[in-house]
Amino acid sequence: MAETDQSTARAAQFAKIDPAFQVTVRDHVYRTVRSAILSGSFATGEKLNERGLAEQFGVSTTPVKEALRQLETEGLVEALPRRGIVIRFSSQWAEEMILARAALESMIAHLAAKRIGKQAKAELQSVADLMKKATASGDADRLIELNEMFHDQIHDCSRCTYLAKLIERQQFYDASIRRVIHLDPAERQKALEEHLAIAQAIIAGDSDLAERVMRDHVVRSGDTYLNIVFGKQEDI
Amino acid sequence: MAETDQSTARAAQFAKIDPAFQVTVRDHVYRTVRSAILSGSFATGEKLNERGLAEQFGVSTTPVKEALRQLETEGLVEALPRRGIVIRFSSQWAEEMILARAALESMIAHLAAKRIGKQAKAELQSVADLMKKATASGDADRLIELNEMFHDQIHDCSRCTYLAKLIERQQFYDASIRRVIHLDPAERQKALEEHLAIAQAIIAGDSDLAERVMRDHVVRSGDTYLNIVFGKQEDI
DNA sequence: GGCTGAAATCTGATATACCAGATGTCACAC
DNA sequence: GTGTGACATCTGGTATATCAGATTTCAGCC
């Protein structure tokens, strides 16, 4: 009996591993090619060769085809049947990805403000407080981490799994670029103010305000990224 | 010389065929399974079997795998590596797809109001006028057609290709269900009023108003669809 | 009787072979 | 020189075989 209890207790210590965590070749190819496209390794209109990619990765064409299918569904490449895969991603695409994110994040912020519970309010406030500290101390990596946590919390509050997944696909920059941004004190300060305003609006349950400040935040910071990645500035 | 001109003129008469128009097995499987999922042929959580599907379609597993990969990227199914494909779609998913559409369509309406040109204004107005007539005469099929034309025009005005593509994937009902909706006179009238308001706002260049009325339109009509497909009502 | 673990089996993941449409090349006819 | 068309070739699409993780089954043990 004691033994049973003990073993149960021990088993409970281990978090369930996410089955989707496993890495497949397909997934590796997908991530690598996606990242390469988003970082501008391929010119818009350039063709991708299935056999060539398979050879470069040292794998068969099967997982490559599947990875390309995912990229196609995401809109980053276009498949012309029996003719080839063409890169679709461009600076315009990136701009629109920001707009999509802005639209979806503001929708989710709206819902979060309506649906947030007491405990979640406290947690959101606590992350906001941590952001304030990290901004003051200039810890860029910590800020990136908190940033992600912050948006994830809002996603959780909204209880919108699908929307959260959709938003994830609208990201065209990676951690290294984020780091560049967060190293700039002025940018850090601006982002902090926006985050605090978002947190305040959501905690206050002001869904319309939350929607607006979130949208402005995503668009503004998105433009900053655009500027860095493509060296140009565009407004809505 | 005359011959050259003539042949050029003749060639110009034929529209270029879209290379993506070609139907592949993969695409057929994709569309069929997608439609089956959206129409509720599979319960949420139900497993799909690659070999089984391939056998049902009388094809090999290769195109089936690719089709499933597309559905996975769309979020309709989830792939658990080496364990199987699970249906993710549910009424909650459908609700969130509407919210996504509302967010994206309102963003696109906002941009359309800002970017629309003189000729496009006239065209949008003319479609709106046709809608008025079709609503009065109760021509459901014609209304469905005009509806699509209307939204496509707005997409074109916004000059947002990526967003337009993204919106297309947020549709969880097909033509037959649309038809049911448009057969109801009250619904037709309501939709007409909304469409006219949207057209007016965009033509007037009032981007904020366009955004708001578009969002309300998508959410309201979406709820009507939800009601029909899932027999329940949900609000934001 | 209930638990353990090895074997059978199911299923997705990957590799390979082959098919067919699309494109490029080039000799030939005018 | 220009245009035509057969042929070589490239490339994605599909089929099939094999590999390996996951699940199930069930005999054997406590």
PDB file of all heavy atoms in Angstrom, chain D residues 2-13:
ATOM      1  P    DT D   2      15.985  35.876 -87.566  1.00  0.00           P
ATOM      2  OP1  DT D   2      15.471  37.271 -87.451  1.00  0.00           O
ATOM      3  OP2  DT D   2      16.858  35.311 -86.519  1.00  0.00           O
ATOM      4  O5'  DT D   2      14.738  34.929 -87.790  1.00  0.00           O
ATOM      5  C5'  DT D   2      13.957  35.057 -88.968  1.00  0.00           C
ATOM      6  C4'  DT D   2      12.953  33.921 -89.015  1.00  0.00           C
ATOM      7  O4'  DT D   2      13.583  32.713 -89.549  1.00  0.00           O
ATOM      8  C3'  DT D   2      12.381  33.525 -87.648  1.00  0.00           C
ATOM      9  O3'  DT D   2      10.970  33.416 -87.749  1.00  0.00           O
ATOM     10  C2'  DT D   2      13.037  32.182 -87.344  1.00  0.00           C
ATOM     11  C1'  DT D   2      13.210  31.618 -88.754  1.00  0.00           C
ATOM     12  N1   DT D   2      14.275  30.601 -88.890  1.00  0.00           N
ATOM     13  C2   DT D   2      13.981  29.436 -89.589  1.00  0.00           C
ATOM     14  O2   DT D   2      12.904  29.213 -90.095  1.00  0.00           O
ATOM     15  N3   DT D   2      15.043  28.558 -89.680  1.00  0.00           N
ATOM     16  C4   DT D   2      16.312  28.709 -89.157  1.00  0.00           C
ATOM     17  O4   DT D   2      17.161  27.847 -89.310  1.00  0.00           O
ATOM     18  C5   DT D   2      16.536  29.932 -88.431  1.00  0.00           C
ATOM     19  C7   DT D   2      17.872  30.200 -87.817  1.00  0.00           C
ATOM     20  C6   DT D   2      15.517  30.827 -88.335  1.00  0.00           C
ATOM     21  P    DG D   3      10.058  33.360 -86.468  1.00  0.00           P
ATOM     22  OP1  DG D   3       9.066  34.444 -86.560  1.00  0.00           O
ATOM     23  OP2  DG D   3      10.920  33.244 -85.274  1.00  0.00           O
ATOM     24  O5'  DG D   3       9.294  31.988 -86.680  1.00  0.00           O
ATOM     25  C5'  DG D   3       8.801  31.655 -87.978  1.00  0.00           C
ATOM     26  C4'  DG D   3       8.674  30.154 -88.089  1.00  0.00           C
ATOM     27  O4'  DG D   3       9.988  29.552 -88.197  1.00  0.00           O
ATOM     28  C3'  DG D   3       8.000  29.489 -86.882  1.00  0.00           C
ATOM     29  O3'  DG D   3       7.045  28.551 -87.356  1.00  0.00           O
ATOM     30  C2'  DG D   3       9.147  28.798 -86.156  1.00  0.00           C
ATOM     31  C1'  DG D   3      10.068  28.442 -87.311  1.00  0.00           C
ATOM     32  N9   DG D   3      11.466  28.273 -86.944  1.00  0.00           N
ATOM     33  C8   DG D   3      12.248  29.134 -86.211  1.00  0.00           C
ATOM     34  N7   DG D   3      13.477  28.716 -86.050  1.00  0.00           N
ATOM     35  C5   DG D   3      13.508  27.492 -86.716  1.00  0.00           C
ATOM     36  C6   DG D   3      14.572  26.565 -86.893  1.00  0.00           C
ATOM     37  O6   DG D   3      15.728  26.652 -86.476  1.00  0.00           O
ATOM     38  N1   DG D   3      14.167  25.459 -87.628  1.00  0.00           N
ATOM     39  C2   DG D   3      12.908  25.261 -88.138  1.00  0.00           C
ATOM     40  N2   DG D   3      12.718  24.133 -88.821  1.00  0.00           N
ATOM     41  N3   DG D   3      11.908  26.121 -87.988  1.00  0.00           N
ATOM     42  C4   DG D   3      12.280  27.210 -87.270  1.00  0.00           C
ATOM     43  P    DT D   4       5.962  27.951 -86.410  1.00  0.00           P
ATOM     44  OP1  DT D   4       4.633  28.330 -86.950  1.00  0.00           O
ATOM     45  OP2  DT D   4       6.316  28.322 -85.034  1.00  0.00           O
ATOM     46  O5'  DT D   4       6.155  26.396 -86.601  1.00  0.00           O
ATOM     47  C5'  DT D   4       6.486  25.883 -87.902  1.00  0.00           C
ATOM     48  C4'  DT D   4       7.084  24.506 -87.751  1.00  0.00           C
ATOM     49  O4'  DT D   4       8.501  24.610 -87.422  1.00  0.00           O
ATOM     50  C3'  DT D   4       6.450  23.645 -86.663  1.00  0.00           C
ATOM     51  O3'  DT D   4       6.043  22.416 -87.233  1.00  0.00           O
ATOM     52  C2'  DT D   4       7.550  23.464 -85.628  1.00  0.00           C
ATOM     53  C1'  DT D   4       8.807  23.603 -86.474  1.00  0.00           C
ATOM     54  N1   DT D   4      10.023  24.060 -85.755  1.00  0.00           N
ATOM     55  C2   DT D   4      11.178  23.319 -85.870  1.00  0.00           C
ATOM     56  O2   DT D   4      11.268  22.297 -86.534  1.00  0.00           O
ATOM     57  N3   DT D   4      12.254  23.826 -85.178  1.00  0.00           N
ATOM     58  C4   DT D   4      12.281  24.977 -84.404  1.00  0.00           C
ATOM     59  O4   DT D   4      13.306  25.323 -83.829  1.00  0.00           O
ATOM     60  C5   DT D   4      11.034  25.687 -84.315  1.00  0.00           C
ATOM     61  C7   DT D   4      10.956  26.928 -83.502  1.00  0.00           C
ATOM     62  C6   DT D   4       9.968  25.211 -84.985  1.00  0.00           C
ATOM     63  P    DG D   5       4.915  21.517 -86.512  1.00  0.00           P
ATOM     64  OP1  DG D   5       3.980  21.007 -87.535  1.00  0.00           O
ATOM     65  OP2  DG D   5       4.388  22.259 -85.345  1.00  0.00           O
ATOM     66  O5'  DG D   5       5.796  20.300 -85.990  1.00  0.00           O
ATOM     67  C5'  DG D   5       6.686  19.642 -86.889  1.00  0.00           C
ATOM     68  C4'  DG D   5       7.694  18.860 -86.085  1.00  0.00           C
ATOM     69  O4'  DG D   5       8.680  19.767 -85.517  1.00  0.00           O
ATOM     70  C3'  DG D   5       7.104  18.091 -84.903  1.00  0.00           C
ATOM     71  O3'  DG D   5       7.740  16.833 -84.816  1.00  0.00           O
ATOM     72  C2'  DG D   5       7.481  18.960 -83.709  1.00  0.00           C
ATOM     73  C1'  DG D   5       8.846  19.439 -84.154  1.00  0.00           C
ATOM     74  N9   DG D   5       9.357  20.602 -83.456  1.00  0.00           N
ATOM     75  C8   DG D   5       8.631  21.677 -82.963  1.00  0.00           C
ATOM     76  N7   DG D   5       9.387  22.576 -82.386  1.00  0.00           N
ATOM     77  C5   DG D   5      10.678  22.074 -82.510  1.00  0.00           C
ATOM     78  C6   DG D   5      11.912  22.615 -82.085  1.00  0.00           C
ATOM     79  O6   DG D   5      12.121  23.672 -81.486  1.00  0.00           O
ATOM     80  N1   DG D   5      12.986  21.777 -82.403  1.00  0.00           N
ATOM     81  C2   DG D   5      12.872  20.578 -83.071  1.00  0.00           C
ATOM     82  N2   DG D   5      13.998  19.919 -83.301  1.00  0.00           N
ATOM     83  N3   DG D   5      11.714  20.061 -83.478  1.00  0.00           N
ATOM     84  C4   DG D   5      10.677  20.862 -83.166  1.00  0.00           C
ATOM     85  P    DA D   6       6.876  15.551 -84.558  1.00  0.00           P
ATOM     86  OP1  DA D   6       6.175  15.175 -85.802  1.00  0.00           O
ATOM     87  OP2  DA D   6       6.106  15.797 -83.329  1.00  0.00           O
ATOM     88  O5'  DA D   6       7.982  14.439 -84.257  1.00  0.00           O
ATOM     89  C5'  DA D   6       9.066  14.263 -85.159  1.00  0.00           C
ATOM     90  C4'  DA D   6      10.381  14.148 -84.394  1.00  0.00           C
ATOM     91  O4'  DA D   6      10.729  15.438 -83.820  1.00  0.00           O
ATOM     92  C3'  DA D   6      10.346  13.153 -83.217  1.00  0.00           C
ATOM     93  O3'  DA D   6      11.534  12.364 -83.241  1.00  0.00           O
ATOM     94  C2'  DA D   6      10.299  14.056 -81.994  1.00  0.00           C
ATOM     95  C1'  DA D   6      11.085  15.270 -82.462  1.00  0.00           C
ATOM     96  N9   DA D   6      10.757  16.512 -81.771  1.00  0.00           N
ATOM     97  C8   DA D   6       9.515  17.063 -81.603  1.00  0.00           C
ATOM     98  N7   DA D   6       9.530  18.212 -80.949  1.00  0.00           N
ATOM     99  C5   DA D   6      10.868  18.419 -80.662  1.00  0.00           C
ATOM    100  C6   DA D   6      11.548  19.458 -79.992  1.00  0.00           C
ATOM    101  N6   DA D   6      10.932  20.517 -79.465  1.00  0.00           N
ATOM    102  N1   DA D   6      12.893  19.362 -79.886  1.00  0.00           N
ATOM    103  C2   DA D   6      13.501  18.298 -80.421  1.00  0.00           C
ATOM    104  N3   DA D   6      12.970  17.262 -81.084  1.00  0.00           N
ATOM    105  C4   DA D   6      11.649  17.389 -81.165  1.00  0.00           C
ATOM    106  P    DC D   7      11.626  11.069 -82.341  1.00  0.00           P
ATOM    107  OP1  DC D   7      12.168   9.968 -83.166  1.00  0.00           O
ATOM    108  OP2  DC D   7      10.348  10.885 -81.630  1.00  0.00           O
ATOM    109  O5'  DC D   7      12.744  11.503 -81.301  1.00  0.00           O
ATOM    110  C5'  DC D   7      13.943  12.139 -81.758  1.00  0.00           C
ATOM    111  C4'  DC D   7      14.685  12.720 -80.569  1.00  0.00           C
ATOM    112  O4'  DC D   7      14.061  13.962 -80.149  1.00  0.00           O
ATOM    113  C3'  DC D   7      14.707  11.817 -79.333  1.00  0.00           C
ATOM    114  O3'  DC D   7      16.017  11.825 -78.781  1.00  0.00           O
ATOM    115  C2'  DC D   7      13.712  12.489 -78.390  1.00  0.00           C
ATOM    116  C1'  DC D   7      13.918  13.947 -78.743  1.00  0.00           C
ATOM    117  N1   DC D   7      12.801  14.863 -78.390  1.00  0.00           N
ATOM    118  C2   DC D   7      13.088  16.084 -77.766  1.00  0.00           C
ATOM    119  O2   DC D   7      14.269  16.370 -77.531  1.00  0.00           O
ATOM    120  N3   DC D   7      12.059  16.924 -77.449  1.00  0.00           N
ATOM    121  C4   DC D   7      10.804  16.577 -77.731  1.00  0.00           C
ATOM    122  N4   DC D   7       9.843  17.443 -77.402  1.00  0.00           N
ATOM    123  C5   DC D   7      10.497  15.337 -78.360  1.00  0.00           C
ATOM    124  C6   DC D   7      11.504  14.515 -78.665  1.00  0.00           C
ATOM    125  P    DA D   8      16.460  10.681 -77.800  1.00  0.00           P
ATOM    126  OP1  DA D   8      17.450   9.823 -78.478  1.00  0.00           O
ATOM    127  OP2  DA D   8      15.257  10.084 -77.188  1.00  0.00           O
ATOM    128  O5'  DA D   8      17.219  11.534 -76.689  1.00  0.00           O
ATOM    129  C5'  DA D   8      18.110  12.588 -77.094  1.00  0.00           C
ATOM    130  C4'  DA D   8      18.270  13.582 -75.965  1.00  0.00           C
ATOM    131  O4'  DA D   8      17.072  14.394 -75.849  1.00  0.00           O
ATOM    132  C3'  DA D   8      18.496  12.949 -74.589  1.00  0.00           C
ATOM    133  O3'  DA D   8      19.512  13.688 -73.909  1.00  0.00           O
ATOM    134  C2'  DA D   8      17.137  13.079 -73.905  1.00  0.00           C
ATOM    135  C1'  DA D   8      16.600  14.368 -74.508  1.00  0.00           C
ATOM    136  N9   DA D   8      15.139  14.457 -74.567  1.00  0.00           N
ATOM    137  C8   DA D   8      14.263  13.517 -75.060  1.00  0.00           C
ATOM    138  N7   DA D   8      13.005  13.885 -74.995  1.00  0.00           N
ATOM    139  C5   DA D   8      13.054  15.154 -74.424  1.00  0.00           C
ATOM    140  C6   DA D   8      12.050  16.083 -74.092  1.00  0.00           C
ATOM    141  N6   DA D   8      10.754  15.872 -74.298  1.00  0.00           N
ATOM    142  N1   DA D   8      12.438  17.251 -73.529  1.00  0.00           N
ATOM    143  C2   DA D   8      13.750  17.457 -73.318  1.00  0.00           C
ATOM    144  N3   DA D   8      14.784  16.668 -73.603  1.00  0.00           N
ATOM    145  C4   DA D   8      14.364  15.516 -74.156  1.00  0.00           C
ATOM    146  P    DT D   9      19.988  13.193 -72.498  1.00  0.00           P
ATOM    147  OP1  DT D   9      21.418  13.576 -72.368  1.00  0.00           O
ATOM    148  OP2  DT D   9      19.562  11.795 -72.290  1.00  0.00           O
ATOM    149  O5'  DT D   9      19.140  14.134 -71.543  1.00  0.00           O
ATOM    150  C5'  DT D   9      19.053  15.530 -71.842  1.00  0.00           C
ATOM    151  C4'  DT D   9      18.183  16.214 -70.798  1.00  0.00           C
ATOM    152  O4'  DT D   9      16.771  16.094 -71.156  1.00  0.00           O
ATOM    153  C3'  DT D   9      18.306  15.641 -69.389  1.00  0.00           C
ATOM    154  O3'  DT D   9      18.385  16.720 -68.485  1.00  0.00           O
ATOM    155  C2'  DT D   9      17.012  14.878 -69.196  1.00  0.00           C
ATOM    156  C1'  DT D   9      16.065  15.777 -69.982  1.00  0.00           C
ATOM    157  N1   DT D   9      14.778  15.178 -70.396  1.00  0.00           N
ATOM    158  C2   DT D   9      13.646  15.951 -70.318  1.00  0.00           C
ATOM    159  O2   DT D   9      13.658  17.103 -69.929  1.00  0.00           O
ATOM    160  N3   DT D   9      12.492  15.333 -70.723  1.00  0.00           N
ATOM    161  C4   DT D   9      12.365  14.033 -71.183  1.00  0.00           C
ATOM    162  O4   DT D   9      11.283  13.589 -71.516  1.00  0.00           O
ATOM    163  C5   DT D   9      13.592  13.271 -71.235  1.00  0.00           C
ATOM    164  C7   DT D   9      13.562  11.853 -71.707  1.00  0.00           C
ATOM    165  C6   DT D   9      14.728  13.868 -70.845  1.00  0.00           C
ATOM    166  P    DC D  10      19.072  16.490 -67.068  1.00  0.00           P
ATOM    167  OP1  DC D  10      20.459  16.980 -67.095  1.00  0.00           O
ATOM    168  OP2  DC D  10      18.796  15.105 -66.632  1.00  0.00           O
ATOM    169  O5'  DC D  10      18.201  17.498 -66.202  1.00  0.00           O
ATOM    170  C5'  DC D  10      17.694  18.686 -66.810  1.00  0.00           C
ATOM    171  C4'  DC D  10      16.356  19.043 -66.181  1.00  0.00           C
ATOM    172  O4'  DC D  10      15.283  18.313 -66.808  1.00  0.00           O
ATOM    173  C3'  DC D  10      16.277  18.719 -64.683  1.00  0.00           C
ATOM    174  O3'  DC D  10      15.827  19.858 -63.975  1.00  0.00           O
ATOM    175  C2'  DC D  10      15.283  17.572 -64.618  1.00  0.00           C
ATOM    176  C1'  DC D  10      14.405  17.845 -65.826  1.00  0.00           C
ATOM    177  N1   DC D  10      13.720  16.643 -66.359  1.00  0.00           N
ATOM    178  C2   DC D  10      12.347  16.719 -66.660  1.00  0.00           C
ATOM    179  O2   DC D  10      11.755  17.781 -66.481  1.00  0.00           O
ATOM    180  N3   DC D  10      11.725  15.622 -67.160  1.00  0.00           N
ATOM    181  C4   DC D  10      12.418  14.489 -67.357  1.00  0.00           C
ATOM    182  N4   DC D  10      11.762  13.443 -67.844  1.00  0.00           N
ATOM    183  C5   DC D  10      13.808  14.393 -67.052  1.00  0.00           C
ATOM    184  C6   DC D  10      14.412  15.477 -66.560  1.00  0.00           C
ATOM    185  P    DT D  11      15.794  19.874 -62.391  1.00  0.00           P
ATOM    186  OP1  DT D  11      16.106  21.230 -61.923  1.00  0.00           O
ATOM    187  OP2  DT D  11      16.571  18.685 -61.927  1.00  0.00           O
ATOM    188  O5'  DT D  11      14.271  19.585 -62.099  1.00  0.00           O
ATOM    189  C5'  DT D  11      13.274  20.429 -62.682  1.00  0.00           C
ATOM    190  C4'  DT D  11      11.919  19.930 -62.230  1.00  0.00           C
ATOM    191  O4'  DT D  11      11.541  18.804 -63.064  1.00  0.00           O
ATOM    192  C3'  DT D  11      11.941  19.414 -60.792  1.00  0.00           C
ATOM    193  O3'  DT D  11      10.945  20.042 -60.020  1.00  0.00           O
ATOM    194  C2'  DT D  11      11.709  17.924 -60.903  1.00  0.00           C
ATOM    195  C1'  DT D  11      11.001  17.793 -62.247  1.00  0.00           C
ATOM    196  N1   DT D  11      11.262  16.492 -62.895  1.00  0.00           N
ATOM    197  C2   DT D  11      10.221  15.867 -63.505  1.00  0.00           C
ATOM    198  O2   DT D  11       9.106  16.356 -63.581  1.00  0.00           O
ATOM    199  N3   DT D  11      10.527  14.644 -64.038  1.00  0.00           N
ATOM    200  C4   DT D  11      11.753  14.006 -64.014  1.00  0.00           C
ATOM    201  O4   DT D  11      11.892  12.906 -64.520  1.00  0.00           O
ATOM    202  C5   DT D  11      12.811  14.731 -63.343  1.00  0.00           C
ATOM    203  C7   DT D  11      14.173  14.115 -63.238  1.00  0.00           C
ATOM    204  C6   DT D  11      12.511  15.917 -62.821  1.00  0.00           C
ATOM    205  P    DG D  12      10.844  19.791 -58.471  1.00  0.00           P
ATOM    206  OP1  DG D  12      10.937  21.093 -57.797  1.00  0.00           O
ATOM    207  OP2  DG D  12      11.777  18.709 -58.111  1.00  0.00           O
ATOM    208  O5'  DG D  12       9.360  19.254 -58.337  1.00  0.00           O
ATOM    209  C5'  DG D  12       8.341  19.983 -58.960  1.00  0.00           C
ATOM    210  C4'  DG D  12       7.162  19.104 -59.345  1.00  0.00           C
ATOM    211  O4'  DG D  12       7.583  18.002 -60.175  1.00  0.00           O
ATOM    212  C3'  DG D  12       6.428  18.472 -58.164  1.00  0.00           C
ATOM    213  O3'  DG D  12       5.045  18.469 -58.490  1.00  0.00           O
ATOM    214  C2'  DG D  12       7.014  17.070 -58.123  1.00  0.00           C
ATOM    215  C1'  DG D  12       7.153  16.783 -59.604  1.00  0.00           C
ATOM    216  N9   DG D  12       8.147  15.774 -59.923  1.00  0.00           N
ATOM    217  C8   DG D  12       9.477  15.784 -59.605  1.00  0.00           C
ATOM    218  N7   DG D  12      10.118  14.724 -60.041  1.00  0.00           N
ATOM    219  C5   DG D  12       9.142  13.988 -60.677  1.00  0.00           C
ATOM    220  C6   DG D  12       9.242  12.743 -61.350  1.00  0.00           C
ATOM    221  O6   DG D  12      10.236  12.039 -61.509  1.00  0.00           O
ATOM    222  N1   DG D  12       8.007  12.325 -61.858  1.00  0.00           N
ATOM    223  C2   DG D  12       6.835  13.033 -61.733  1.00  0.00           C
ATOM    224  N2   DG D  12       5.743  12.496 -62.264  1.00  0.00           N
ATOM    225  N3   DG D  12       6.735  14.209 -61.117  1.00  0.00           N
ATOM    226  C4   DG D  12       7.927  14.622 -60.614  1.00  0.00           C
ATOM    227  P    DG D  13       3.973  17.855 -57.525  1.00  0.00           P
ATOM    228  OP1  DG D  13       2.760  18.669 -57.630  1.00  0.00           O
ATOM    229  OP2  DG D  13       4.608  17.639 -56.216  1.00  0.00           O
ATOM    230  O5'  DG D  13       3.671  16.447 -58.189  1.00  0.00           O
ATOM    231  C5'  DG D  13       2.769  16.369 -59.284  1.00  0.00           C
ATOM    232  C4'  DG D  13       2.286  14.943 -59.459  1.00  0.00           C
ATOM    233  O4'  DG D  13       3.414  14.091 -59.755  1.00  0.00           O
ATOM    234  C3'  DG D  13       1.624  14.346 -58.208  1.00  0.00           C
ATOM    235  O3'  DG D  13       0.474  13.605 -58.620  1.00  0.00           O
ATOM    236  C2'  DG D  13       2.696  13.435 -57.624  1.00  0.00           C
ATOM    237  C1'  DG D  13       3.467  13.000 -58.853  1.00  0.00           C
ATOM    238  N9   DG D  13       4.878  12.726 -58.597  1.00  0.00           N
ATOM    239  C8   DG D  13       5.778  13.541 -57.962  1.00  0.00           C
ATOM    240  N7   DG D  13       6.985  13.037 -57.898  1.00  0.00           N
ATOM    241  C5   DG D  13       6.869  11.805 -58.534  1.00  0.00           C
ATOM    242  C6   DG D  13       7.847  10.801 -58.772  1.00  0.00           C
ATOM    243  O6   DG D  13       9.041  10.804 -58.475  1.00  0.00           O
ATOM    244  N1   DG D  13       7.304   9.710 -59.444  1.00  0.00           N
ATOM    245  C2   DG D  13       5.994   9.602 -59.833  1.00  0.00           C
ATOM    246  N2   DG D  13       5.651   8.483 -60.467  1.00  0.00           N
ATOM    247  N3   DG D  13       5.073  10.538 -59.625  1.00  0.00           N
ATOM    248  C4   DG D  13       5.583  11.602 -58.967  1.00  0.00           C
TER     249       DG D  13
END
